[in-house]
Amino acid sequence: MKKVLTLVVLIVSIVMLFDLPVHAKEVRGITNDAIKIGVSTDMTGPVVSILGQMTEGYRNFFRHINDKGGINGRKVEVVVEDDRYSIPLCVANFKRLLYKEKVFVFIPSGTGQTKALYRNIEKEKIPTFTVSLAEDMVIPYRRYIFIPSATYEDQITLMFKYIKEVLGVKQPKISYVSPDSEYGKTGFRAATSTAEKYGLKLASTEVLALGAFDASTQAMSLKRTKPDFVILVEDLNSAVAMLRDARKLSLETTFFGNYYTCDDDIVQLGGKASESYLGVQSFSSWHDDIPGMKTVRNTTLKYYPNIKPRNRYYMQGWVTAMIITEGLKKAGKNLDTESFITSLESIKNLDSGGVTGLISYSPKLHKATEYLKIFKPDAAKNRLVPITDWMKP
Amino acid sequence: MTSGDFKTSYKADMAIFQTVWIKLWMAGFIVFMIFFPFWAGPYLTYVVNLAAIATIGALGINILTGFTGQISLGHGAFIAIGAYSTAILTADAGFPFWLALPTAALITAISGLIVGGPSLRLKGLYLVMTTIAFSFIVQYVIIKWESLTRGSTGMGVPTPKIFGHAIDNDRAFYFLIIPITALALLFARNLIRTKVGRAWVAIRDRDISAEVMGVNLARYKVTSFFVSSFYAGLAGGLYAYYITDISPEHFPITLSIDYLAMIIIGGMGSILGSVFGAMFVTMLPEGIRIAADVFGTSYPVLVDRFFEVKVMAFGLAIILFLIFEPTGIYGRWIKTKIYYKSWPFTY
């Protein structure tokens, strides 16, 4: 009887503990002289070449802003946590950054990571700039989630538009190559629906895993299909493997790569094989002669005089930081989460000096821009050069 | 004054908490655990919750590998089955929490029976290969069977409700996960002391001798797979509820290796070892962070290269344990206890 009584008392007290209020709300991450921004990113894992430089981008932009006196008298402090591109670690970092570091803005490391945090982001009302460019990050509308560029879907749509409307190919035969993951499937859905819009059908689809070193099977199969264009939704390694093996089998086609392959490395690694490559990108190159890029180069070289040219993902970091800064400036000295979101949603045609297209948000859509450029390799310069101006899909 | 802990009955000898002091310590520990989340705040509570879920998973693989000697690299796949069963039962079939979790664990246990089948013919490396193959099959099925699992997109898990209370924050989850973990520990501890547990240990130590003694190898090996997968299913189910959105990316092949690492570090063939291992692996990054904060001023490399140091420390811990303390933290714990018991005399 005594045991039962103890148990009952214990259960009742535990149930009562449930009802105690969780922490009182305050303007998290903002003090009189600082604004904290939390980043969960890959510093030691599989996509460090992309996310590592992106993180440098945030850091250097905010350092530049701090050196100019900060934002409305406050300095920006960037807190970085490593998640090795793993979802559970990113969720852990989210909690740490939010509850321990008390950050004002959060930047998660990928599509799966952001999706796993949807409910938490909504509940905690934390402004989030996701690294993922998947359309379903922002459609349907999520008040606290923003993306800093055009989406993966926009990139695919623009490829079709370029082939049909700019190159004027009447009945192009288009194949699709991607890994068998959500990243590949997102592209596949966009490719089939855009093809349908133009009254086309994909000639074939091939599966090529990310990080692959061999694509001869896929090249053989493409050789049988003989497509005019191949949409390549891959990462750098597998794209280079695809280009090389296609050249080995003297496959005559044009490979159209997206955001994650459209960087100067593809020319440097692919060599002659990259001649058959075209790429779609939201961000300009380090070498481009435009005012925005001059600021990027001068500032970065000021802090790190011996640094090698940074990649496009560095530019994404830079632009993300620029958008956050603009939102913070507009929200004024007495900002809170809601006024920050409202001021972000009021950004219209923010000019990055050509680092990316004009940036606008609206209270309905949190996609920064639709502008993209098409790039092609330049063997003499050993890098990609733009062949179009900013285009909308 | 008593000069030793002498037992006068079998009951006293078999008791889990043998002395008054241990009972007092346990009571103190329980009180500490009840107040812990109020003192620790949401982040530490989150870490402890994950460690508790990992403890249940580690118990599962310890039963199979540590007690029965069947090395498995398919534990991550069982955890995935548990998580997906819970998600599907809750989101699609509309099962309430109290029904979904045990059902999911049972489904996982039944899939464990299927994998357990080949273990009757396969041993050692061959069994490892079979379980790895099973992991790949599970991964493939989850990605391909889109109508059921939503494929690589992943699926959301509704918030569990108990007596009308929505369990939707770290503290509420703490009071859900910790009691379940305690029950799981108690059940495993008791199971090991029964005929079944002894049969498992006999199979681990030498299966031929076990069979000669009359242990039904087929039955006990399959039971071990069943119980081990049940635990994995439980851990997976709780994980799904806690993380709220699961996809195949949550359950990579390396998850099985992580669990194996936990019991190697904690101590194979020991219940307490599972707890130590799970705690150590989940808490190690926090420990290194504290070290980096404390020693950061004299060794700035710890701060600059924090992320690399963290990964290296983890690898180093496993290597050092394998070389210097193959019995894991549990073995070290026992040695330390004996040392203080007989202090200042070494005998």
Side-chain angles (χ1 to χ4, degrees):
Chain A
M1 189 59 214
K2 221 172 156 188
K3 268 187 186 168
V4 174
L5 206 69
T6 327
L7 207 66
V8 168
V9 170
L10 208 70
I11 289 171
V12 169
S13 48
I14 287 172
V15 169
M16 279 164 73
L17 292 179
F18 272 126
D19 283 341
L20 287 177
V22 191
H23 293 259
K25 291 267 175 287
E26 52 189 18
V27 183
R28 176 182 46 213
I30 307 261
T31 57
N32 278 334
D33 46 9
I35 297 167
K36 265 193 183 179
I37 290 174
V39 184
S40 178
T41 190
D42 182 7
M43 299 300 278
T44 52
V47 292
V48 65
S49 62
I50 292 170
L51 294 185
Q53 289 210 14
M54 206 181 285
T55 310
E56 280 176 31
Y58 313 128
R59 278 198 162 133
N60 291 342
F61 185 85
F62 285 125
R63 189 169 166 190
H64 170 61
I65 290 292
N66 288 345
D67 286 352
K68 288 202 302 188
I71 303 166
N72 299 327
R74 292 189 180 98
K75 299 264 157 127
V76 179
E77 194 186 320
V78 183
V79 188
V80 177
E81 294 288 343
D82 182 23
D83 63 18
R84 308 211 299 275
Y85 203 61
S86 121
I87 298 175
L89 285 179
C90 184
V91 175
N93 287 344
F94 172 82
K95 306 232 171 188
R96 186 185 162 79
L97 289 167
L98 215 68
Y99 302 135
K100 251 192 152 164
E101 300 287 348
K102 302 205 186 314
V103 297
F104 182 63
V105 175
F106 175 62
I107 303 179
S109 59
T111 309
Q113 288 79 351
T114 313
K115 276 189 180 171
L117 286 166
Y118 273 167
R119 242 181 278 178
N120 283 302
I121 290 169
E122 198 63 33
K123 205 172 81 191
E124 298 290 347
K125 300 190 188 327
I126 177 151
T128 302
F129 276 83
T130 175
V131 162
S132 159
L133 305 178
E135 195 168 80
D136 52 1
M137 295 285 117
V138 291
I139 299 170
Y141 173 78
R142 290 187 178 79
R143 181 159 171 80
Y144 300 98
I145 299 180
F146 293 81
I147 58 175
S149 121
T151 59
Y152 302 135
E153 285 82 349
D154 290 334
Q155 297 163 17
I156 306 269
T157 316
L158 186 73
M159 292 176 192
F160 278 88
K161 186 175 172 179
Y162 183 75
I163 294 168
K164 286 287 286 185
E165 294 173 20
V166 179
L167 297 180
V169 187
K170 284 231 165 67
Q171 275 297 320
K173 223 172 159 188
I174 301 175
S175 289
Y176 180 81
V177 179
S178 81
D180 193 10
S181 66
E182 185 56 14
Y183 168 56
K185 282 181 189 162
T186 309
F188 179 73
R189 285 190 290 266
T192 32
S193 68
T194 320
E196 232 165 68
K197 212 179 83 188
Y198 284 107
L200 298 171
K201 251 182 115 178
L202 291 181
S204 68
T205 52
E206 301 295 332
V207 172
L208 177 62
L210 292 181
F213 291 105
D214 176 77
S216 35
T217 331
Q218 289 80 359
M220 290 267 245
S221 169
L222 286 174
K223 189 146 185 171
R224 277 194 293 274
T225 320
K226 293 198 184 77
D228 305 312
F229 294 92
V230 178
I231 293 177
L232 198 56
V233 175
E234 289 289 345
D235 66 355
L236 189 64
N237 280 335
S238 42
V240 169
M242 185 74 249
L243 292 173
R244 276 191 183 153
D245 288 343
R247 185 181 158 83
K248 243 185 253 165
L249 294 175
S250 29
L251 174 69
E252 278 180 23
T253 184
T254 304
F255 287 93
F256 225 137
N258 72 344
Y259 176 74
Y260 288 109
T261 56
C262 186
D263 193 30
D264 298 338
D265 287 344
I266 196 131
V267 189
Q268 283 143 27
L269 292 173
K272 271 206 171 319
S274 66
E275 279 167 12
S276 59
Y277 179 86
L278 283 180
V280 182
Q281 201 23 298
S282 311
F283 298 100
S284 298
S285 150
W286 171 271
H287 303 280
D288 288 344
D289 195 18
I290 41 179
M293 205 51 79
K294 261 183 207 142
T295 321
V296 175
R297 283 193 301 258
N298 293 343
T299 318
T300 313
L301 289 170
K302 191 175 85 195
Y303 297 135
Y304 301 95
N306 301 319
I307 205 161
K308 283 188 195 147
R310 304 282 85 190
N311 61 23
R312 313 285 171 130
Y313 317 109
Y314 181 81
M315 306 309 157
Q316 183 178 336
W318 186 274
V319 167
T320 307
M322 183 185 284
I323 298 171
I324 294 172
T325 306
E326 179 70 13
L328 290 170
K329 266 188 199 155
K330 276 186 143 195
K333 180 85 184 161
N334 295 321
L335 80 168
D336 60 15
T337 304
E338 296 308 315
S339 68
F340 176 57
I341 299 282
T342 316
S343 79
L344 281 172
E345 286 179 341
S346 71
I347 291 178
K348 287 280 161 305
N349 296 330
L350 172 66
D351 189 359
S352 60
V355 180
T356 187
L358 292 176
I359 297 159
S360 305
Y361 288 117
S362 80
K364 277 186 192 139
L365 188 61
H366 285 178
K367 174 165 84 172
T369 180
E370 282 193 324
Y371 288 108
L372 294 154
K373 265 187 197 179
I374 311 251
F375 291 82
K376 85 165 208 264
D378 184 321
K381 289 181 179 158
N382 202 19
R383 61 182 171 87
L384 295 173
V385 290
I387 51 170
T388 63
D389 201 358
W390 294 113
M391 289 170 77
K392 274 193 180 189
Chain B
M1 199 177 116
T2 48
S3 56
D5 177 25
F6 303 112
K7 279 107 183 175
T8 49
S9 69
Y10 283 117
K11 205 181 159 204
D13 195 32
M14 286 295 288
I16 293 180
F17 306 118
Q18 294 202 340
T19 62
V20 178
W21 283 109
I22 290 177
K23 281 177 192 157
L24 275 178
W25 275 116
M26 273 315 288
F29 181 66
I30 290 171
V31 172
F32 169 77
M33 288 302 272
I34 288 175
F35 289 101
F36 174 78
F38 300 95
W39 162 79
Y43 175 66
L44 259 186
T45 311
Y46 172 79
V47 176
V48 170
N49 284 347
L50 274 196
I53 294 173
T55 302
I56 301 178
L59 268 177
I61 192 167
N62 219 339
I63 285 172
L64 187 66
T65 306
F67 286 103
T68 324
Q70 310 296 303
I71 302 169
S72 158
L73 274 176
H75 207 60
F78 288 121
I79 289 182
I81 294 177
Y84 267 97
S85 308
T86 309
I88 292 161
L89 287 174
T90 325
D92 295 343
F95 276 40
F97 166 79
W98 58 269
L99 200 60
L101 191 65
T103 314
L106 210 61
I107 292 171
T108 318
I110 290 166
S111 67
L113 280 185
I114 298 165
V115 185
S119 75
L120 309 177
R121 303 291 298 268
L122 301 168
K123 273 201 289 192
L125 275 179
Y126 301 95
L127 184 62
V128 174
M129 289 306 292
T130 320
T131 49
I132 290 181
F134 174 70
S135 303
F136 280 108
I137 293 168
V138 169
Q139 189 93 11
Y140 188 82
V141 168
I142 290 175
I143 291 175
K144 291 289 172 187
W145 197 350
E146 288 190 3
S147 56
L148 190 70
T149 63
R150 325 282 200 276
S152 48
T153 319
M155 59 189 299
V157 188
T159 311
K161 278 203 171 99
I162 296 176
F163 304 124
H165 276 278
I167 312 291
D168 61 353
N169 61 57
D170 296 298
R171 191 185 294 164
F173 263 107
Y174 177 88
F175 288 110
L176 177 73
I177 293 169
I178 297 294
I180 293 178
T181 312
L183 284 178
L185 279 167
L186 210 61
F187 180 76
R189 184 78 176 81
N190 275 315
L191 192 64
I192 296 308
R193 306 190 301 163
T194 59
K195 185 182 160 192
V196 182
R198 287 169 205 279
W200 286 344
V201 173
I203 293 172
R204 175 192 68 191
D205 291 344
R206 192 81 182 139
D207 53 353
I208 297 173
S209 327
E211 198 162 23
V212 169
M213 285 192 294
V215 172
N216 184 340
L217 283 191
R219 194 167 136 204
Y220 286 106
K221 274 189 182 177
V222 170
T223 318
S224 176
F225 264 99
F226 184 85
V227 177
S228 160
S229 330
F230 187 88
Y231 273 88
L234 206 58
L238 285 173
Y239 181 78
Y241 276 123
Y242 194 33
I243 291 291
T244 70
D245 197 291
I246 54 165
S247 72
E249 288 175 57
H250 285 263
F251 311 101
I253 304 293
T254 48
L255 187 64
S256 306
I257 298 172
D258 285 346
Y259 272 100
L260 214 52
M262 277 182 211
I263 60 167
I264 291 173
I265 291 176
M268 284 215 244
S270 141
I271 299 294
L272 202 55
S274 317
V275 185
F276 286 149
M279 292 283 165
F280 185 84
V281 170
T282 10
M283 309 262 192
L284 182 69
E286 290 309 303
I288 297 170
R289 193 188 302 277
I290 293 167
D293 288 346
V294 174
F295 302 111
T297 38
S298 21
Y299 301 98
V301 65
L302 275 179
V303 180
D304 296 344
R305 292 260 160 253
F306 174 71
F307 304 123
E308 287 85 349
V309 169
K310 209 163 80 171
V311 178
M312 277 158 55
F314 189 67
L316 196 67
I318 294 180
I319 296 171
L320 291 180
F321 267 111
L322 283 175
I323 297 174
F324 295 109
E325 195 60 89
T327 45
I329 302 176
Y330 177 71
R332 184 50 50 189
W333 165 254
I334 292 294
K335 281 178 195 159
T336 316
K337 249 177 36 176
I338 292 173
Y339 175 79
Y340 281 106
K341 236 180 195 168
S342 54
W343 191 84
F345 309 107
T346 48
Y347 44 86

